[in-house]
Amino acid sequence: MRNGRPDTGYLHWRWKPYECDLPPFDEIRFLGAMRNKAWGLIGDSILRNQVQSLICLLSKADEPVEVYHDKEFKNRRWHFQSYNFTVSLVWAPFLVKSEVFENENGESTSEIQLHLDILEPTWISQYERFDYVVIAGGQWFLKTAVYWESGKVLGCHHCQDKNLTEVGFEHLYRRTLQEVLKFISSAHHKPVVLFRTWAPDHFENGEWFSGGTCNRVLPYKKGEYGGKYMEHIMRGIELEEFNKAVTAANSSRDAVKLKLLDTYSISSMRPDGHAGPYRMFHPFAQGNKDGSSVQNDCLHWCVPGPIDAWNDLIMKLVLN
């Protein structure tokens, strides 16, 4: 709103699920249940967006104090002193080890180097600190990257002018999820783990790098939007690998506490909930109505907005 967005409907639309009571997030009840506990949210900027929502919701009951951040503010930790409760944001966009050579605008100087058989040390090293974990991935696997396994180059996705075998991102995402879920299932430490599904975008008439926009101010009606091909592919992989991991854990009588946080369908219906052109440092904030040169953000969500429903679901899954 400060950045010039004129409509406010996205603040008020709320889900009313069939045959399910989904009450609004109760920050006092949540913090009371989480006294002396620690949460870790592991993933990319979509997880960061969810943390922004969670911190805002919880701040109605207790003031969060940021007790740690790295140089780029990608890894952060907040402490709610009255409840001795901590929330950590852990930057791991691929969940496996990676070397990334790009700036904040997504401009790369070299291909990403991705190690499929080595989990990202940033989150592995902290895993035992957490009583609850939310983990997700996906979006970054569409980027150009060279893939390594057992110390050797396996191939590349979408590389140009390189004599490397083209490897489809579907196989690579599936391989990564298998490594992540195998670690969660076999680890001695057993936090409650919520695996969050693919986050849809609503770019129309192009993508983020080619002038795509999201100007809708109303949710889709039932049946109006079927989703994008890519979303169905990636979400299908997630559901298959999650179900296999749960089945394997049940058959071995392992005490894995793995839950599915399936936010795809409710999010796909909310094209009105993105920041769009109303981001920081753009002409709308100065009263200029010409936003043709502004890059739209049709992937992340306004806070408050539809992403708050993700945390409503978390409360339902965890406290029920």
Side-chain angles (χ1 to χ4, degrees), residues 181-217:
L181 293 168
K182 181 173 71 174
F183 170 82
I184 291 170
S185 298
S186 61
H188 175 73
H189 180 58
K190 300 295 183 186
V192 174
V193 178
L194 307 179
F195 175 69
R196 202 211 70 223
T197 54
W198 181 267
D201 70 64
H202 291 93
F203 285 100
E204 297 184 73
N205 306 310
E207 298 298 326
W208 67 271
F209 54 84
S210 58
T213 58
C214 44
N215 300 319
R216 297 178 184 267
V217 296

PDB file of all heavy atoms in Angstrom, residues 181-217:
ATOM      1  N   LEU A 181      14.520 -36.334   1.878  1.00  0.00           N
ATOM      2  CA  LEU A 181      13.577 -37.147   2.649  1.00  0.00           C
ATOM      3  C   LEU A 181      14.263 -38.355   3.280  1.00  0.00           C
ATOM      4  O   LEU A 181      13.883 -38.786   4.369  1.00  0.00           O
ATOM      5  CB  LEU A 181      12.417 -37.574   1.744  1.00  0.00           C
ATOM      6  CG  LEU A 181      11.518 -36.414   1.288  1.00  0.00           C
ATOM      7  CD1 LEU A 181      10.574 -36.854   0.175  1.00  0.00           C
ATOM      8  CD2 LEU A 181      10.719 -35.847   2.454  1.00  0.00           C
ATOM      9  N   LYS A 182      15.299 -38.881   2.614  1.00  0.00           N
ATOM     10  CA  LYS A 182      16.059 -39.989   3.200  1.00  0.00           C
ATOM     11  C   LYS A 182      16.793 -39.519   4.456  1.00  0.00           C
ATOM     12  O   LYS A 182      16.811 -40.221   5.468  1.00  0.00           O
ATOM     13  CB  LYS A 182      17.058 -40.528   2.174  1.00  0.00           C
ATOM     14  CG  LYS A 182      17.888 -41.699   2.689  1.00  0.00           C
ATOM     15  CD  LYS A 182      18.736 -42.300   1.574  1.00  0.00           C
ATOM     16  CE  LYS A 182      19.862 -41.374   1.171  1.00  0.00           C
ATOM     17  NZ  LYS A 182      20.781 -42.005   0.182  1.00  0.00           N
ATOM     18  N   PHE A 183      17.344 -38.312   4.392  1.00  0.00           N
ATOM     19  CA  PHE A 183      18.021 -37.770   5.563  1.00  0.00           C
ATOM     20  C   PHE A 183      17.036 -37.556   6.717  1.00  0.00           C
ATOM     21  O   PHE A 183      17.318 -37.938   7.866  1.00  0.00           O
ATOM     22  CB  PHE A 183      18.694 -36.433   5.215  1.00  0.00           C
ATOM     23  CG  PHE A 183      19.217 -35.697   6.411  1.00  0.00           C
ATOM     24  CD1 PHE A 183      20.446 -36.028   6.964  1.00  0.00           C
ATOM     25  CD2 PHE A 183      18.475 -34.686   7.003  1.00  0.00           C
ATOM     26  CE1 PHE A 183      20.929 -35.359   8.077  1.00  0.00           C
ATOM     27  CE2 PHE A 183      18.946 -34.016   8.122  1.00  0.00           C
ATOM     28  CZ  PHE A 183      20.171 -34.347   8.662  1.00  0.00           C
ATOM     29  N   ILE A 184      15.890 -36.966   6.418  1.00  0.00           N
ATOM     30  CA  ILE A 184      14.889 -36.708   7.456  1.00  0.00           C
ATOM     31  C   ILE A 184      14.437 -38.009   8.103  1.00  0.00           C
ATOM     32  O   ILE A 184      14.283 -38.100   9.326  1.00  0.00           O
ATOM     33  CB  ILE A 184      13.691 -35.947   6.859  1.00  0.00           C
ATOM     34  CG1 ILE A 184      14.115 -34.509   6.477  1.00  0.00           C
ATOM     35  CG2 ILE A 184      12.515 -35.910   7.831  1.00  0.00           C
ATOM     36  CD1 ILE A 184      13.080 -33.757   5.678  1.00  0.00           C
ATOM     37  N   SER A 185      14.224 -39.041   7.291  1.00  0.00           N
ATOM     38  CA  SER A 185      13.724 -40.311   7.804  1.00  0.00           C
ATOM     39  C   SER A 185      14.765 -41.068   8.614  1.00  0.00           C
ATOM     40  O   SER A 185      14.423 -41.778   9.570  1.00  0.00           O
ATOM     41  CB  SER A 185      13.242 -41.189   6.637  1.00  0.00           C
ATOM     42  OG  SER A 185      12.175 -40.576   5.954  1.00  0.00           O
ATOM     43  N   SER A 186      16.038 -40.920   8.242  1.00  0.00           N
ATOM     44  CA  SER A 186      17.086 -41.719   8.886  1.00  0.00           C
ATOM     45  C   SER A 186      17.807 -40.980  10.009  1.00  0.00           C
ATOM     46  O   SER A 186      18.531 -41.617  10.786  1.00  0.00           O
ATOM     47  CB  SER A 186      18.109 -42.174   7.842  1.00  0.00           C
ATOM     48  OG  SER A 186      18.725 -41.059   7.223  1.00  0.00           O
ATOM     49  N   ALA A 187      17.619 -39.667  10.104  1.00  0.00           N
ATOM     50  CA  ALA A 187      18.331 -38.899  11.127  1.00  0.00           C
ATOM     51  C   ALA A 187      17.908 -39.329  12.529  1.00  0.00           C
ATOM     52  O   ALA A 187      16.736 -39.641  12.772  1.00  0.00           O
ATOM     53  CB  ALA A 187      18.075 -37.407  10.932  1.00  0.00           C
ATOM     54  N   HIS A 188      18.861 -39.321  13.440  1.00  0.00           N
ATOM     55  CA  HIS A 188      18.566 -39.682  14.840  1.00  0.00           C
ATOM     56  C   HIS A 188      17.617 -38.660  15.470  1.00  0.00           C
ATOM     57  O   HIS A 188      16.717 -39.024  16.232  1.00  0.00           O
ATOM     58  CB  HIS A 188      19.867 -39.769  15.631  1.00  0.00           C
ATOM     59  CG  HIS A 188      19.657 -40.019  17.099  1.00  0.00           C
ATOM     60  ND1 HIS A 188      19.244 -41.240  17.595  1.00  0.00           N
ATOM     61  CD2 HIS A 188      19.782 -39.188  18.178  1.00  0.00           C
ATOM     62  CE1 HIS A 188      19.128 -41.165  18.911  1.00  0.00           C
ATOM     63  NE2 HIS A 188      19.446 -39.933  19.289  1.00  0.00           N
ATOM     64  N   HIS A 189      17.826 -37.391  15.153  1.00  0.00           N
ATOM     65  CA  HIS A 189      16.968 -36.326  15.679  1.00  0.00           C
ATOM     66  C   HIS A 189      15.648 -36.335  14.916  1.00  0.00           C
ATOM     67  O   HIS A 189      15.631 -36.397  13.687  1.00  0.00           O
ATOM     68  CB  HIS A 189      17.675 -34.980  15.517  1.00  0.00           C
ATOM     69  CG  HIS A 189      16.885 -33.822  16.023  1.00  0.00           C
ATOM     70  ND1 HIS A 189      16.448 -33.714  17.323  1.00  0.00           N
ATOM     71  CD2 HIS A 189      16.454 -32.689  15.381  1.00  0.00           C
ATOM     72  CE1 HIS A 189      15.786 -32.579  17.473  1.00  0.00           C
ATOM     73  NE2 HIS A 189      15.781 -31.937  16.314  1.00  0.00           N
ATOM     74  N   LYS A 190      14.529 -36.261  15.627  1.00  0.00           N
ATOM     75  CA  LYS A 190      13.210 -36.377  15.007  1.00  0.00           C
ATOM     76  C   LYS A 190      12.313 -35.169  15.330  1.00  0.00           C
ATOM     77  O   LYS A 190      11.393 -35.251  16.141  1.00  0.00           O
ATOM     78  CB  LYS A 190      12.508 -37.664  15.486  1.00  0.00           C
ATOM     79  CG  LYS A 190      13.241 -38.954  15.166  1.00  0.00           C
ATOM     80  CD  LYS A 190      13.333 -39.203  13.663  1.00  0.00           C
ATOM     81  CE  LYS A 190      13.999 -40.535  13.368  1.00  0.00           C
ATOM     82  NZ  LYS A 190      14.223 -40.743  11.923  1.00  0.00           N
ATOM     83  N   PRO A 191      12.566 -34.034  14.681  1.00  0.00           N
ATOM     84  CA  PRO A 191      11.630 -32.920  14.834  1.00  0.00           C
ATOM     85  C   PRO A 191      10.358 -33.193  14.034  1.00  0.00           C
ATOM     86  O   PRO A 191      10.312 -34.114  13.221  1.00  0.00           O
ATOM     87  CB  PRO A 191      12.405 -31.748  14.230  1.00  0.00           C
ATOM     88  CG  PRO A 191      13.271 -32.385  13.191  1.00  0.00           C
ATOM     89  CD  PRO A 191      13.658 -33.733  13.753  1.00  0.00           C
ATOM     90  N   VAL A 192       9.337 -32.411  14.275  1.00  0.00           N
ATOM     91  CA  VAL A 192       8.171 -32.434  13.393  1.00  0.00           C
ATOM     92  C   VAL A 192       8.563 -31.701  12.120  1.00  0.00           C
ATOM     93  O   VAL A 192       9.003 -30.548  12.170  1.00  0.00           O
ATOM     94  CB  VAL A 192       6.949 -31.757  14.047  1.00  0.00           C
ATOM     95  CG1 VAL A 192       5.797 -31.668  13.053  1.00  0.00           C
ATOM     96  CG2 VAL A 192       6.537 -32.507  15.297  1.00  0.00           C
ATOM     97  N   VAL A 193       8.447 -32.360  10.969  1.00  0.00           N
ATOM     98  CA  VAL A 193       8.862 -31.773   9.698  1.00  0.00           C
ATOM     99  C   VAL A 193       7.632 -31.588   8.809  1.00  0.00           C
ATOM    100  O   VAL A 193       6.904 -32.540   8.527  1.00  0.00           O
ATOM    101  CB  VAL A 193       9.894 -32.662   8.973  1.00  0.00           C
ATOM    102  CG1 VAL A 193      10.261 -32.044   7.625  1.00  0.00           C
ATOM    103  CG2 VAL A 193      11.138 -32.836   9.833  1.00  0.00           C
ATOM    104  N   LEU A 194       7.422 -30.350   8.379  1.00  0.00           N
ATOM    105  CA  LEU A 194       6.350 -30.020   7.439  1.00  0.00           C
ATOM    106  C   LEU A 194       6.984 -29.773   6.078  1.00  0.00           C
ATOM    107  O   LEU A 194       7.774 -28.834   5.916  1.00  0.00           O
ATOM    108  CB  LEU A 194       5.593 -28.775   7.894  1.00  0.00           C
ATOM    109  CG  LEU A 194       5.037 -28.779   9.319  1.00  0.00           C
ATOM    110  CD1 LEU A 194       4.339 -27.463   9.623  1.00  0.00           C
ATOM    111  CD2 LEU A 194       4.076 -29.941   9.522  1.00  0.00           C
ATOM    112  N   PHE A 195       6.650 -30.624   5.118  1.00  0.00           N
ATOM    113  CA  PHE A 195       7.168 -30.460   3.760  1.00  0.00           C
ATOM    114  C   PHE A 195       6.151 -29.660   2.956  1.00  0.00           C
ATOM    115  O   PHE A 195       5.044 -30.124   2.713  1.00  0.00           O
ATOM    116  CB  PHE A 195       7.425 -31.816   3.114  1.00  0.00           C
ATOM    117  CG  PHE A 195       7.842 -31.713   1.673  1.00  0.00           C
ATOM    118  CD1 PHE A 195       9.074 -31.186   1.338  1.00  0.00           C
ATOM    119  CD2 PHE A 195       6.993 -32.121   0.664  1.00  0.00           C
ATOM    120  CE1 PHE A 195       9.455 -31.072   0.006  1.00  0.00           C
ATOM    121  CE2 PHE A 195       7.367 -32.020  -0.664  1.00  0.00           C
ATOM    122  CZ  PHE A 195       8.598 -31.494  -0.993  1.00  0.00           C
ATOM    123  N   ARG A 196       6.553 -28.442   2.564  1.00  0.00           N
ATOM    124  CA  ARG A 196       5.619 -27.562   1.846  1.00  0.00           C
ATOM    125  C   ARG A 196       5.741 -27.759   0.342  1.00  0.00           C
ATOM    126  O   ARG A 196       6.844 -27.838  -0.206  1.00  0.00           O
ATOM    127  CB  ARG A 196       5.905 -26.085   2.181  1.00  0.00           C
ATOM    128  CG  ARG A 196       4.727 -25.155   1.942  1.00  0.00           C
ATOM    129  CD  ARG A 196       5.172 -23.763   1.546  1.00  0.00           C
ATOM    130  NE  ARG A 196       5.753 -23.774   0.216  1.00  0.00           N
ATOM    131  CZ  ARG A 196       6.858 -23.120  -0.124  1.00  0.00           C
ATOM    132  NH1 ARG A 196       7.523 -22.425   0.759  1.00  0.00           N
ATOM    133  NH2 ARG A 196       7.317 -23.194  -1.368  1.00  0.00           N
ATOM    134  N   THR A 197       4.606 -27.822  -0.314  1.00  0.00           N
ATOM    135  CA  THR A 197       4.580 -28.084  -1.749  1.00  0.00           C
ATOM    136  C   THR A 197       4.877 -26.823  -2.566  1.00  0.00           C
ATOM    137  O   THR A 197       5.015 -25.727  -2.040  1.00  0.00           O
ATOM    138  CB  THR A 197       3.213 -28.647  -2.162  1.00  0.00           C
ATOM    139  OG1 THR A 197       2.174 -27.757  -1.717  1.00  0.00           O
ATOM    140  CG2 THR A 197       2.984 -30.021  -1.558  1.00  0.00           C
ATOM    141  N   TRP A 198       4.941 -27.010  -3.861  1.00  0.00           N
ATOM    142  CA  TRP A 198       5.293 -25.993  -4.850  1.00  0.00           C
ATOM    143  C   TRP A 198       4.455 -24.722  -4.684  1.00  0.00           C
ATOM    144  O   TRP A 198       3.244 -24.780  -4.482  1.00  0.00           O
ATOM    145  CB  TRP A 198       5.067 -26.572  -6.238  1.00  0.00           C
ATOM    146  CG  TRP A 198       5.399 -25.674  -7.382  1.00  0.00           C
ATOM    147  CD1 TRP A 198       4.550 -24.841  -8.026  1.00  0.00           C
ATOM    148  CD2 TRP A 198       6.667 -25.539  -8.025  1.00  0.00           C
ATOM    149  NE1 TRP A 198       5.203 -24.183  -9.032  1.00  0.00           N
ATOM    150  CE2 TRP A 198       6.505 -24.596  -9.054  1.00  0.00           C
ATOM    151  CE3 TRP A 198       7.916 -26.127  -7.833  1.00  0.00           C
ATOM    152  CZ2 TRP A 198       7.550 -24.216  -9.898  1.00  0.00           C
ATOM    153  CZ3 TRP A 198       8.952 -25.751  -8.665  1.00  0.00           C
ATOM    154  CH2 TRP A 198       8.772 -24.815  -9.677  1.00  0.00           C
ATOM    155  N   ALA A 199       5.114 -23.583  -4.787  1.00  0.00           N
ATOM    156  CA  ALA A 199       4.433 -22.285  -4.708  1.00  0.00           C
ATOM    157  C   ALA A 199       4.178 -21.772  -6.121  1.00  0.00           C
ATOM    158  O   ALA A 199       5.116 -21.538  -6.878  1.00  0.00           O
ATOM    159  CB  ALA A 199       5.286 -21.291  -3.930  1.00  0.00           C
ATOM    160  N   PRO A 200       2.911 -21.587  -6.507  1.00  0.00           N
ATOM    161  CA  PRO A 200       2.619 -21.149  -7.867  1.00  0.00           C
ATOM    162  C   PRO A 200       2.921 -19.666  -8.069  1.00  0.00           C
ATOM    163  O   PRO A 200       2.870 -18.873  -7.133  1.00  0.00           O
ATOM    164  CB  PRO A 200       1.114 -21.407  -7.996  1.00  0.00           C
ATOM    165  CG  PRO A 200       0.602 -21.238  -6.600  1.00  0.00           C
ATOM    166  CD  PRO A 200       1.693 -21.779  -5.705  1.00  0.00           C
ATOM    167  N   ASP A 201       3.244 -19.313  -9.311  1.00  0.00           N
ATOM    168  CA  ASP A 201       3.312 -17.898  -9.663  1.00  0.00           C
ATOM    169  C   ASP A 201       2.125 -17.573 -10.564  1.00  0.00           C
ATOM    170  O   ASP A 201       1.398 -18.465 -11.005  1.00  0.00           O
ATOM    171  CB  ASP A 201       4.641 -17.561 -10.347  1.00  0.00           C
ATOM    172  CG  ASP A 201       4.753 -18.171 -11.745  1.00  0.00           C
ATOM    173  OD1 ASP A 201       3.964 -17.791 -12.631  1.00  0.00           O
ATOM    174  OD2 ASP A 201       5.637 -19.025 -11.962  1.00  0.00           O
ATOM    175  N   HIS A 202       1.914 -16.297 -10.824  1.00  0.00           N
ATOM    176  CA  HIS A 202       0.792 -15.880 -11.666  1.00  0.00           C
ATOM    177  C   HIS A 202       1.237 -14.865 -12.712  1.00  0.00           C
ATOM    178  O   HIS A 202       0.531 -13.896 -13.006  1.00  0.00           O
ATOM    179  CB  HIS A 202      -0.337 -15.314 -10.801  1.00  0.00           C
ATOM    180  CG  HIS A 202      -1.010 -16.343  -9.954  1.00  0.00           C
ATOM    181  ND1 HIS A 202      -0.628 -16.602  -8.662  1.00  0.00           N
ATOM    182  CD2 HIS A 202      -2.021 -17.209 -10.219  1.00  0.00           C
ATOM    183  CE1 HIS A 202      -1.394 -17.565  -8.162  1.00  0.00           C
ATOM    184  NE2 HIS A 202      -2.238 -17.948  -9.081  1.00  0.00           N
ATOM    185  N   PHE A 203       2.421 -15.093 -13.285  1.00  0.00           N
ATOM    186  CA  PHE A 203       2.876 -14.242 -14.376  1.00  0.00           C
ATOM    187  C   PHE A 203       1.985 -14.473 -15.598  1.00  0.00           C
ATOM    188  O   PHE A 203       1.711 -15.612 -15.973  1.00  0.00           O
ATOM    189  CB  PHE A 203       4.329 -14.560 -14.738  1.00  0.00           C
ATOM    190  CG  PHE A 203       5.337 -14.035 -13.759  1.00  0.00           C
ATOM    191  CD1 PHE A 203       5.897 -14.885 -12.814  1.00  0.00           C
ATOM    192  CD2 PHE A 203       5.726 -12.704 -13.775  1.00  0.00           C
ATOM    193  CE1 PHE A 203       6.832 -14.413 -11.905  1.00  0.00           C
ATOM    194  CE2 PHE A 203       6.660 -12.222 -12.868  1.00  0.00           C
ATOM    195  CZ  PHE A 203       7.210 -13.076 -11.933  1.00  0.00           C
ATOM    196  N   GLU A 204       1.565 -13.402 -16.211  1.00  0.00           N
ATOM    197  CA  GLU A 204       0.811 -13.467 -17.460  1.00  0.00           C
ATOM    198  C   GLU A 204       1.524 -12.617 -18.508  1.00  0.00           C
ATOM    199  O   GLU A 204       2.170 -11.627 -18.181  1.00  0.00           O
ATOM    200  CB  GLU A 204      -0.615 -12.965 -17.258  1.00  0.00           C
ATOM    201  CG  GLU A 204      -1.430 -13.812 -16.277  1.00  0.00           C
ATOM    202  CD  GLU A 204      -2.873 -13.353 -16.172  1.00  0.00           C
ATOM    203  OE1 GLU A 204      -3.641 -13.597 -17.130  1.00  0.00           O
ATOM    204  OE2 GLU A 204      -3.230 -12.740 -15.154  1.00  0.00           O
ATOM    205  N   ASN A 205       1.409 -13.031 -19.769  1.00  0.00           N
ATOM    206  CA  ASN A 205       2.002 -12.294 -20.896  1.00  0.00           C
ATOM    207  C   ASN A 205       3.527 -12.209 -20.772  1.00  0.00           C
ATOM    208  O   ASN A 205       4.134 -11.212 -21.175  1.00  0.00           O
ATOM    209  CB  ASN A 205       1.408 -10.881 -20.992  1.00  0.00           C
ATOM    210  CG  ASN A 205      -0.100 -10.898 -21.069  1.00  0.00           C
ATOM    211  OD1 ASN A 205      -0.677 -11.622 -21.870  1.00  0.00           O
ATOM    212  ND2 ASN A 205      -0.750 -10.115 -20.219  1.00  0.00           N
ATOM    213  N   GLY A 206       4.133 -13.241 -20.212  1.00  0.00           N
ATOM    214  CA  GLY A 206       5.574 -13.270 -20.064  1.00  0.00           C
ATOM    215  C   GLY A 206       5.980 -13.778 -18.697  1.00  0.00           C
ATOM    216  O   GLY A 206       5.132 -14.041 -17.846  1.00  0.00           O
ATOM    217  N   GLU A 207       7.279 -13.914 -18.486  1.00  0.00           N
ATOM    218  CA  GLU A 207       7.820 -14.339 -17.200  1.00  0.00           C
ATOM    219  C   GLU A 207       8.450 -13.134 -16.501  1.00  0.00           C
ATOM    220  O   GLU A 207       8.385 -12.015 -16.996  1.00  0.00           O
ATOM    221  CB  GLU A 207       8.845 -15.461 -17.394  1.00  0.00           C
ATOM    222  CG  GLU A 207       8.267 -16.730 -18.008  1.00  0.00           C
ATOM    223  CD  GLU A 207       7.187 -17.371 -17.153  1.00  0.00           C
ATOM    224  OE1 GLU A 207       7.295 -17.288 -15.910  1.00  0.00           O
ATOM    225  OE2 GLU A 207       6.247 -17.955 -17.718  1.00  0.00           O
ATOM    226  N   TRP A 208       9.101 -13.378 -15.351  1.00  0.00           N
ATOM    227  CA  TRP A 208       9.660 -12.267 -14.582  1.00  0.00           C
ATOM    228  C   TRP A 208      10.733 -11.511 -15.364  1.00  0.00           C
ATOM    229  O   TRP A 208      10.911 -10.308 -15.190  1.00  0.00           O
ATOM    230  CB  TRP A 208      10.234 -12.774 -13.260  1.00  0.00           C
ATOM    231  CG  TRP A 208      11.444 -13.662 -13.398  1.00  0.00           C
ATOM    232  CD1 TRP A 208      11.454 -15.009 -13.541  1.00  0.00           C
ATOM    233  CD2 TRP A 208      12.814 -13.240 -13.407  1.00  0.00           C
ATOM    234  NE1 TRP A 208      12.738 -15.475 -13.651  1.00  0.00           N
ATOM    235  CE2 TRP A 208      13.603 -14.412 -13.559  1.00  0.00           C
ATOM    236  CE3 TRP A 208      13.455 -12.019 -13.300  1.00  0.00           C
ATOM    237  CZ2 TRP A 208      14.991 -14.371 -13.617  1.00  0.00           C
ATOM    238  CZ3 TRP A 208      14.843 -11.975 -13.352  1.00  0.00           C
ATOM    239  CH2 TRP A 208      15.588 -13.149 -13.509  1.00  0.00           C
ATOM    240  N   PHE A 209      11.414 -12.238 -16.265  1.00  0.00           N
ATOM    241  CA  PHE A 209      12.511 -11.632 -17.017  1.00  0.00           C
ATOM    242  C   PHE A 209      12.076 -11.114 -18.381  1.00  0.00           C
ATOM    243  O   PHE A 209      12.890 -10.560 -19.118  1.00  0.00           O
ATOM    244  CB  PHE A 209      13.644 -12.647 -17.196  1.00  0.00           C
ATOM    245  CG  PHE A 209      13.187 -13.949 -17.809  1.00  0.00           C
ATOM    246  CD1 PHE A 209      13.060 -14.096 -19.173  1.00  0.00           C
ATOM    247  CD2 PHE A 209      12.857 -15.023 -16.995  1.00  0.00           C
ATOM    248  CE1 PHE A 209      12.638 -15.284 -19.733  1.00  0.00           C
ATOM    249  CE2 PHE A 209      12.432 -16.229 -17.545  1.00  0.00           C
ATOM    250  CZ  PHE A 209      12.317 -16.346 -18.922  1.00  0.00           C
ATOM    251  N   SER A 210      10.809 -11.301 -18.741  1.00  0.00           N
ATOM    252  CA  SER A 210      10.367 -10.906 -20.083  1.00  0.00           C
ATOM    253  C   SER A 210       9.075 -10.086 -20.057  1.00  0.00           C
ATOM    254  O   SER A 210       8.247 -10.193 -20.958  1.00  0.00           O
ATOM    255  CB  SER A 210      10.176 -12.158 -20.958  1.00  0.00           C
ATOM    256  OG  SER A 210       9.230 -13.049 -20.379  1.00  0.00           O
ATOM    257  N   GLY A 211       8.900  -9.315 -19.013  1.00  0.00           N
ATOM    258  CA  GLY A 211       7.771  -8.395 -18.976  1.00  0.00           C
ATOM    259  C   GLY A 211       6.467  -8.977 -18.469  1.00  0.00           C
ATOM    260  O   GLY A 211       5.401  -8.368 -18.659  1.00  0.00           O
ATOM    261  N   GLY A 212       6.503 -10.135 -17.816  1.00  0.00           N
ATOM    262  CA  GLY A 212       5.277 -10.723 -17.272  1.00  0.00           C
ATOM    263  C   GLY A 212       4.648  -9.836 -16.208  1.00  0.00           C
ATOM    264  O   GLY A 212       5.343  -9.139 -15.471  1.00  0.00           O
ATOM    265  N   THR A 213       3.325  -9.880 -16.138  1.00  0.00           N
ATOM    266  CA  THR A 213       2.598  -9.042 -15.178  1.00  0.00           C
ATOM    267  C   THR A 213       1.571  -9.868 -14.416  1.00  0.00           C
ATOM    268  O   THR A 213       1.249 -11.004 -14.788  1.00  0.00           O
ATOM    269  CB  THR A 213       1.864  -7.889 -15.889  1.00  0.00           C
ATOM    270  OG1 THR A 213       0.948  -8.434 -16.859  1.00  0.00           O
ATOM    271  CG2 THR A 213       2.855  -6.969 -16.597  1.00  0.00           C
ATOM    272  N   CYS A 214       1.022  -9.286 -13.347  1.00  0.00           N
ATOM    273  CA  CYS A 214      -0.087  -9.887 -12.598  1.00  0.00           C
ATOM    274  C   CYS A 214      -0.953  -8.734 -12.090  1.00  0.00           C
ATOM    275  O   CYS A 214      -0.692  -8.185 -11.034  1.00  0.00           O
ATOM    276  CB  CYS A 214       0.416 -10.770 -11.451  1.00  0.00           C
ATOM    277  SG  CYS A 214       1.774 -10.073 -10.480  1.00  0.00           S
ATOM    278  N   ASN A 215      -1.952  -8.401 -12.880  1.00  0.00           N
ATOM    279  CA  ASN A 215      -2.781  -7.227 -12.589  1.00  0.00           C
ATOM    280  C   ASN A 215      -4.149  -7.571 -12.032  1.00  0.00           C
ATOM    281  O   ASN A 215      -4.972  -6.671 -11.827  1.00  0.00           O
ATOM    282  CB  ASN A 215      -2.955  -6.395 -13.869  1.00  0.00           C
ATOM    283  CG  ASN A 215      -1.620  -5.910 -14.419  1.00  0.00           C
ATOM    284  OD1 ASN A 215      -0.754  -5.507 -13.653  1.00  0.00           O
ATOM    285  ND2 ASN A 215      -1.461  -5.961 -15.735  1.00  0.00           N
ATOM    286  N   ARG A 216      -4.419  -8.840 -11.784  1.00  0.00           N
ATOM    287  CA  ARG A 216      -5.748  -9.219 -11.314  1.00  0.00           C
ATOM    288  C   ARG A 216      -5.949  -8.765  -9.865  1.00  0.00           C
ATOM    289  O   ARG A 216      -5.028  -8.797  -9.058  1.00  0.00           O
ATOM    290  CB  ARG A 216      -5.945 -10.731 -11.414  1.00  0.00           C
ATOM    291  CG  ARG A 216      -5.887 -11.251 -12.858  1.00  0.00           C
ATOM    292  CD  ARG A 216      -6.027 -12.759 -12.917  1.00  0.00           C
ATOM    293  NE  ARG A 216      -5.880 -13.257 -14.274  1.00  0.00           N
ATOM    294  CZ  ARG A 216      -6.899 -13.460 -15.117  1.00  0.00           C
ATOM    295  NH1 ARG A 216      -8.146 -13.225 -14.713  1.00  0.00           N
ATOM    296  NH2 ARG A 216      -6.682 -13.913 -16.341  1.00  0.00           N
ATOM    297  N   VAL A 217      -7.185  -8.369  -9.558  1.00  0.00           N
ATOM    298  CA  VAL A 217      -7.497  -7.882  -8.208  1.00  0.00           C
ATOM    299  C   VAL A 217      -8.548  -8.750  -7.520  1.00  0.00           C
ATOM    300  O   VAL A 217      -8.990  -8.426  -6.417  1.00  0.00           O
ATOM    301  CB  VAL A 217      -7.973  -6.412  -8.245  1.00  0.00           C
ATOM    302  CG1 VAL A 217      -6.852  -5.507  -8.731  1.00  0.00           C
ATOM    303  CG2 VAL A 217      -9.208  -6.251  -9.116  1.00  0.00           C
TER     304      VAL A 217
END
